[in-house]
Amino acid sequence: MVIVMNPKATEKDISDVTNTLKSLGLGVHVSKGAHVTIIGVIGDKSILADTPLELMSGVDKIVHIMESYKLAGRTFKPESSVIQVKNAPIGGKELAIIAGPCAVESEEQLIKTAQAVKKCGAQFLSGGAYKPRTSPYAFQGLEEDGFKMLAQAREETGLLIVSEVISANSVEIALKYIDVVQIGARNMQNFQLLREVGKAGCPVILKRGLSATIEEWINAAEYIMNEGNYNIIFCERGIRTFETYTRNTLDISAVPVIKQISHLPIIVDPSHGTGKWRLVEPMAMAAIAAGADGLMIEVHHDPKCALSDGPQSITPDNFSHLVQRINKLAPIMDRQYNIVH
Ligand code: PEP
Ligand code: MN
């Protein structure tokens, strides 16, 4: 918190304010400019609740510079968090690779893709059972049947399952079948849903909202953490800008920003981030080079026939190429990633 004194404030006004702060045990840093004196206040500001500093003589305004979030911030927890999903850690030295079709379409489609991404070394299979589509006429997902197919794919491949939830009801159903729930971009500020996954306690991938600032995004995590669930992984998936060549503008700078101000891990989704399959691999490389803890990639065995997001889906062959390049980059970033053949 910073107290900006009025240009007409006297020396006595300034010392009255600093003495009041010191008498409450707060640290005080005074910076005297040519016209204005600014007083920086250090310590637990909650004790100022009953001290109306704004009313003291010579005080112009009070500026609160403390973050609007607490639990998700590094001030609260300086060391990086590692989210453990069964035997797979997210946020440690090992990169987390999540891959799968945008939507679960059929048993055959899912298992083909699951086996292919497993062969390349992905630890997680993603697939949407509930699809929050922009158009109400587009394919909306197989719902619980989709979760059943995902659970079946886990049985057959050992991959851990990530899938989106869109309502309190879908959280309850999802947790019977899957390992990590995903909050999609369109629901990042669905506070009721955030509270629901907070109560559920399960690992959560929290995608960045379409037009969300980093602070709004961290506050969405704060809603989940406030319910006692600290198992959150941020996912940068691109934001809306004036650029229309790509579907979204992938904000790679969000990766080091989140790393600096939050202890939670962050992964990147270059599929939704670009909307174009040819851009997925270069942006995946950029994400890992920027310090991301993992990737979320849309893979389809036949993208031109995909029921959802075909243009940004890569084939298993292209996914294999991508992970081989990530594997070369990983040691440079002091990360581990091993292709399992
Ligand atoms: C998805 O993962 O398929 C999806 C809908 O992503 P987003 O919420 O980032 O648009
Ligand atoms: Mn998609």
Side-chain angles (χ1 to χ4, degrees):
M1 187 178 100
V2 162
I3 300 168
V4 182
M5 299 300 287
N6 190 295
K8 293 194 182 120
T10 63
E11 283 302 321
K12 180 169 181 313
D13 290 338
I14 296 168
S15 60
D16 280 353
V17 173
T18 55
N19 289 339
T20 303
L21 295 166
K22 285 179 192 160
S23 70
L24 293 167
L26 292 164
V28 172
H29 288 266
V30 179
S31 161
K32 285 199 171 155
H35 302 291
V36 169
T37 294
I38 291 173
I39 302 168
V41 187
I42 314 283
D44 178 7
K45 269 77 99 194
S46 60
I47 52 173
L48 286 171
D50 297 327
T51 312
L53 291 170
E54 292 92 338
L55 302 183
M56 290 185 76
S57 175
V59 172
D60 191 8
K61 61 181 169 197
I62 312 261
V63 184
H64 294 275
I65 53 167
M66 230 181 69
E67 302 97 339
S68 51
Y69 49 85
K70 270 200 165 55
L71 306 175
R74 280 225 190 248
T75 324
F76 172 72
K77 183 173 180 281
E79 67 282 4
S80 297
S81 293
V82 178
I83 311 302
Q84 196 67 39
V85 185
K86 295 192 172 153
N87 58 345
I90 305 183
K93 216 172 148 69
E94 195 180 341
L95 294 174
I97 308 291
I98 304 168
C102 177
V104 177
E105 299 168 8
S106 67
E107 256 171 59
E108 191 206 355
Q109 168 246 17
L110 188 65
I111 200 67
K112 257 192 194 160
T113 310
Q115 281 162 348
V117 301
K118 165 86 182 178
K119 197 168 152 227
C120 298
Q123 309 98 317
F124 297 85
L125 173 69
S126 58
Y130 288 88
K131 293 307 305 174
R133 306 299 298 282
T134 300
S135 163
Y137 310 116
F139 177 59
Q140 303 286 311
L142 299 179
E143 304 190 345
E144 188 165 1
D145 284 343
F147 286 145
K148 286 183 183 159
M149 290 176 199
L150 286 161
Q152 181 62 29
R154 178 180 47 209
E155 283 293 300
E156 293 185 28
T157 60
L159 290 165
L160 296 163
I161 305 298
V162 178
S163 195
E164 179 162 356
V165 291
I166 57 167
S167 61
N169 177 45
S170 64
V171 175
E172 207 185 312
I173 301 172
L175 291 178
K176 290 196 256 170
Y177 304 102
I178 71 172
D179 304 294
V180 182
V181 302
Q182 174 180 322
I183 301 284
R186 289 155 195 80
N187 274 314
M188 189 207 83
Q189 282 191 319
N190 180 339
F191 299 116
Q192 197 51 44
L193 183 59
L194 297 175
R195 285 198 193 95
E196 209 60 48
V197 298
K199 287 189 202 117
C202 54
V204 180
I205 289 181
L206 179 62
K207 297 192 98 178
R208 183 174 180 180
L210 305 172
S211 301
T213 64
I214 289 176
E215 187 168 350
E216 286 164 343
W217 190 18
I218 298 180
N219 269 297
E222 196 77 12
Y223 265 87
I224 302 172
M225 298 177 94
N226 195 32
E227 298 293 333
N229 183 358
Y230 290 11
N231 302 310
I232 301 162
I233 302 120
F234 287 113
C235 179
E236 164 60 42
R237 48 77 72 204
I239 47 173
R240 287 232 164 126
T241 69
F242 56 81
E243 182 55 73
T244 52
Y245 187 84
T246 45
R247 181 177 178 182
N248 292 294
T249 297
L250 189 61
D251 182 9
I252 294 283
S253 66
V255 173
V257 172
I258 287 284
K259 287 272 162 209
Q260 276 164 30
I261 62 182
S262 175
H263 53 89
L264 295 168
I266 175 167
I267 61 170
V268 170
D269 166 359
S271 309
H272 294 86
T274 63
K276 287 184 151 68
W277 72 267
R278 285 177 204 278
L279 301 181
V280 170
E281 183 180 303
M283 295 316 280
M285 295 289 278
I288 299 304
D293 296 296
L295 295 167
M296 192 168 194
I297 311 278
E298 283 189 342
V299 179
H300 197 285
H301 68 282
D302 187 6
K304 56 186 182 314
C305 294
L307 293 183
S308 166
D309 287 350
Q312 67 192 36
S313 300
I314 58 173
T315 60
D317 280 354
N318 286 333
F319 180 67
S320 167
H321 188 263
L322 181 155
V323 292
Q324 285 178 53
R325 290 194 66 208
I326 295 294
N327 212 22
K328 285 192 192 137
L329 178 60
I332 298 170
M333 296 307 298
D334 198 23
R335 297 285 192 160
Q336 281 169 0
Y337 182 58
N338 296 309
I339 304 173
V340 191
H341 275 297

